[in-house]
């Protein structure tokens, strides 16, 4: 059974159009011009337990709105949502007990108090037993090194520390599903690495389902087994990352560096797309020919000094999705 | 329940985190107290008072004022502002992630503020009042007990009204001066500045049918003994009725507000 089921989800917003100039401002004050915008427009998808799902799309595609409906904050205009078999709107308290949520641009930590106080509060909110609490804190300390700054007031934490604190706070009650809304936004390479390690560990050891929205495609590549791509509130791609990338950019590149210049042979299943001094780039479709076949064919004809095979660029593939569905 | 207890504790800790604010607040309260009392002294000194033929002596009026300032410093109804800022900044999203009723969380916050206000506002005010004007004694033990019960109801009425005004933010996102207008109405019609006895009869008659005078005037009237025991019981019952009416109204508004939630800023 899918842990998250979404069917024909629609969310409409009323947007007030502001007119320009003083006259327009006065007019808007008395006769506001309202317009209904569909932020989410007929989404349907299932998420299975234990998956790490990347929920991606350009700014304004409806990602955060969807997350906020899945977590029971917003009420959908139409459609159905089931999280752990329940409606997050009708049974908010029971559903959120099963959820961990991190909004990258907000913090649930108490700004003026030492970080540890937030954990003490959460321990009481979720009625976590002392023993269980200590065990979970040990795991969190192991990966996120929370103990280094647990006595620091939250307002004095660096962004990376704060984000680690927020992740730990979202995990303290052992949620079934973890929602991460841009968890690596603005973080340095080290902090990003720690957070990705943590997500993978929790997914592996506790079979936790993770739904991740991000603009960082490294997050997607390193973490996500499944992708949901949205644009303009509609689902445009749904499936494993490899399949989506293969579908959109099935080509790979073989870069060959020559010892000395030579006549470049044509190949029936690969074409030269670029040449720069002694370097040549062949593009080929991996379903038509394997890299080793191509290398074998060319090595007899060319004085090869060095070579490398380049995987298709995920970023290009994703940009292609956004562009073609715009 | 332990969760709410910890919310209260966190709020007390937060209040103590800002020592400067504590000291400044103390000075401000004491200035307010002294100014109000001296205005009444001046008024009585010139024989202005007594238009309604109401029998309230200067000493009673000083006690009234001291208790009024004291109550105002202890009654913390931050809920109005909390809902407004949480909606405005979009952090309401995080409050919804707690498996607890939101209003319960906000109420615990305010109770926490009241606990810290008792320590860092009420006590200095009482000390200042004793030094300046002598201890403001209640009319009797019964009056004091009635005052405590009535004050509790007063707080609940004030809190429910604040929560209601705060909830308007779910519809308009920009509360503007609505909160200030409501605070001004409460200040005047509750009798916290000037008891309603000094107002024209017409105002008094209307006011009896509004919740405001049951927030300050009722408990303080009981304290200084202007309200007789029988009237005190009746007044506390009316307070109870207002708690029920406002409570039901708030529950109804909240039910509709829930589906109106918007989260600002992505």
């Amino acid at each position: 059974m899918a842990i998250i089921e979404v069917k024909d989800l629609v969310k409409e917003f009323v947007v007030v159009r502001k007119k320009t100039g003083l006259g327009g401002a006065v007019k808007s004050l008395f006769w506001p011009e309202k317009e209904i915008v569909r932020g989410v427009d007929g989404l349907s998808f299932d998420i299975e337990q234990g998956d790490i799902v990347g929920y991606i799309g350009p700014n304004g595609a409806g990602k955060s709105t969807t997350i906020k409906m899945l977590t029971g904050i917003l009420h959908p205009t139409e459609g159905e949502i089931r999280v752990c078999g329940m409606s997050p709107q009708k049974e908010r308290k029971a559903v959120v007990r099963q959820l961990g949520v991190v909004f990258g641009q907000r913090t649930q930590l108490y700004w003026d108090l030492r970080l540890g106080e937030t954990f003490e509060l959460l321990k009481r909110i979720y009625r976590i037993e002392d023993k269980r609490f200590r065990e979970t804190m040990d795991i969190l300390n192991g990966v996120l090194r929370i103990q280094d700054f647990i006595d620091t007031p939250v307002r004095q934490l660096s962004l990376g520390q704060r984000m680690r604190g927020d992740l730990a706070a979202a995990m303290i009650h052992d949620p079934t599903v973890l929602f991460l809304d841009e968890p690596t936004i603005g973080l340095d390479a080290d902090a990003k690495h720690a957070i990705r390690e943590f997500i993978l560990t929790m997914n592996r050891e506790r079979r936790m389902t993770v739904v991740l929205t991000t603009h960082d495609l490294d997050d997607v590549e390193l973490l996500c087994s499944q992708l949901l791509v949205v644009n303009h509130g509609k689902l445009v791609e749904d499936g494993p990352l490899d399949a989506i990338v293969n579908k959109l950019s099935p080509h790979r590149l073989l870069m060959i560096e020559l010892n000395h210049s030579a006549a470049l042979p044509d190949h029936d299943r690969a074409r030269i797309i670029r040449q720069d001094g002694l370097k040549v780039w062949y593009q080929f479709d991996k379903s038509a020919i394997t890299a080793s076949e191509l290398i074998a064919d060319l090595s007899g004809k060319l004085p090869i000094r060095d070579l490398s095979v380049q995987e298709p660029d995920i970023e290009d593939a994703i940009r292609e999705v956004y562009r073609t569905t715009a | 329940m332990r969760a709410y207890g910890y919310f209260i504790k966190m709020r007390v800790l937060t209040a103590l985190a800002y020592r400067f604010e504590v000291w400044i607040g103390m000075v401000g309260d004491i200035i307010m107290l002294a100014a109000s009392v001296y205005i009444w002294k001046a008024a009585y000194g010139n024989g202005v008072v007594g238009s309604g033929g109401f029998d309230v002596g200067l000493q009673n009026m000083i006690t009234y004022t001291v208790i009024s300032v004291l109550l105002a410093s202890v009654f913390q109804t931050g809920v109005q502002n909390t809902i407004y800022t949480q909606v405005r900044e979009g952090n309401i999203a995080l409050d919804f992630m707690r498996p607890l009723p939101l209003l319960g969380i906000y109420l615990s916050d305010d109770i926490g503020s009241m606990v810290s206000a008792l320590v860092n506002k009420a006590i200095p005010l009482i000390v200042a009042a004793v030094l300046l004007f002598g201890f403001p004694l209640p009319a009797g033990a019964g009056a004091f007990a009635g005052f405590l019960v009535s004050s509790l109801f007063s707080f609940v009425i004030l809190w429910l009204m604040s929560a209601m005004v705060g909830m308007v933010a779910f519809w308009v996102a920009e509360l503007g001066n609505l909160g200030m207008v409501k605070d001004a109405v409460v200040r005047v019609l509750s009798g916290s500045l000037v008891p309603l006895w000094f107002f024209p009869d017409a105002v008094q008659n209307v006011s009896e049918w509004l919740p405001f005078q049951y927030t300050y005037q009722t408990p303080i009237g009981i304290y200084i003994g202007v309200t007789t025991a029988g009237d005190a019981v009746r007044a506390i019952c009316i307070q109870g009725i207002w708690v029920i009416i406002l409570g039901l109204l708030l529950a109804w508004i909240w039910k509709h507000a829930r589906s109106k939630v918007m989260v600002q800023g992505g």
Side-chain angles (χ1 to χ4, degrees), chain A residues 255-287:
Chain A
M255 192 276 288
I256 293 175
E257 193 176 347
L258 304 172
N259 267 324
H260 50 82
S261 57
L264 295 169
D266 281 332
H267 192 284
D268 56 346
R269 279 168 293 174
R271 63 192 183 92
I272 297 167
I273 57 157
R274 199 172 149 213
Q275 197 179 349
D276 181 9
L278 290 173
K279 288 182 180 173
V280 191
W281 281 265
Y282 282 88
Q283 188 188 56
F284 63 100
D285 186 333
K286 74 170 185 174
S287 58

Side-chain angles (χ1 to χ4, degrees), chain A residues 9-186:
Chain A
L9 190 64
V10 174
K11 179 70 184 175
E12 289 177 344
F13 294 106
V14 178
V15 179
V16 179
R17 293 258 164 259
K18 298 273 184 205
K19 295 188 198 76
T20 52
L22 184 62
V26 173
K27 215 174 159 193
S28 300
L29 197 59
F30 292 103
W31 300 277
E33 202 172 288
K34 286 177 181 170
E35 192 182 327
I36 290 175
V37 175
R38 285 202 160 194
V40 171
D41 191 2
L43 279 183
S44 298
F45 57 82
D46 285 350
I47 291 174
E48 300 297 327
Q49 177 152 28
D51 276 352
I52 302 185
V53 178
Y55 189 57
I56 64 170
N59 289 325
K63 302 187 297 291
S64 287
T65 305
T66 312
I67 297 280
K68 279 162 192 152
M69 285 192 280
L70 293 180
T71 51
I73 300 164
L74 300 182
H75 286 232
T77 312
E78 285 165 35
E80 257 190 75
I81 304 173
R82 287 262 170 273
V83 176
C84 306
M86 293 174 283
S87 156
Q89 279 71 33
K90 292 193 186 102
E91 294 165 83
R92 176 182 74 84
K93 279 168 244 167
V95 171
V96 295
R97 198 165 265 285
Q98 311 267 336
L99 305 182
V101 184
V102 176
F103 296 109
Q105 311 192 47
R106 310 185 188 283
T107 180
Q108 66 156 315
L109 309 173
Y110 275 69
W111 198 239
D112 297 309
L113 304 179
R114 53 183 277 276
L115 177 60
E117 293 295 345
T118 302
F119 295 121
E120 290 292 325
L121 173 70
L122 294 170
K123 176 174 176 246
R124 285 163 180 83
I125 289 177
Y126 295 102
R127 299 199 194 100
I128 308 166
E129 284 167 35
D130 286 340
K131 186 163 162 286
R132 184 75 180 157
F133 181 73
R134 273 195 305 275
E135 282 169 8
T136 312
M137 280 309 281
D138 283 345
I139 298 173
L140 295 174
N141 278 332
V143 193
L144 296 170
R145 300 195 311 279
I146 302 291
Q147 74 273 28
D148 298 349
F149 46 88
I150 194 142
D151 287 322
T152 311
V154 172
R155 60 168 184 266
Q156 289 170 14
L157 298 180
S158 73
L159 183 62
Q161 289 172 328
R162 204 212 75 198
M163 188 56 77
R164 280 189 266 162
D166 258 308
L167 260 179
M171 292 296 308
I172 198 86
H173 57 291
D174 231 334
T176 321
V177 184
L178 182 62
F179 285 100
L180 303 171
D181 196 356
E182 301 193 33
T184 57
I185 194 165

Side-chain angles (χ1 to χ4, degrees), chain B residues 169-203:
Chain B
F170 281 106
W171 280 270
V172 296
E174 194 59 61
L175 222 45
N177 294 326
L178 182 62
M180 277 166 64
V181 171
K182 179 225 131 209
D183 289 346
V185 169
V186 169
R187 210 165 296 136
V188 174
L189 290 183
S190 68
S192 79
L193 285 179
V194 178
L196 292 162
W197 315 313
F198 298 115
F199 283 55
D201 285 344
V203 176

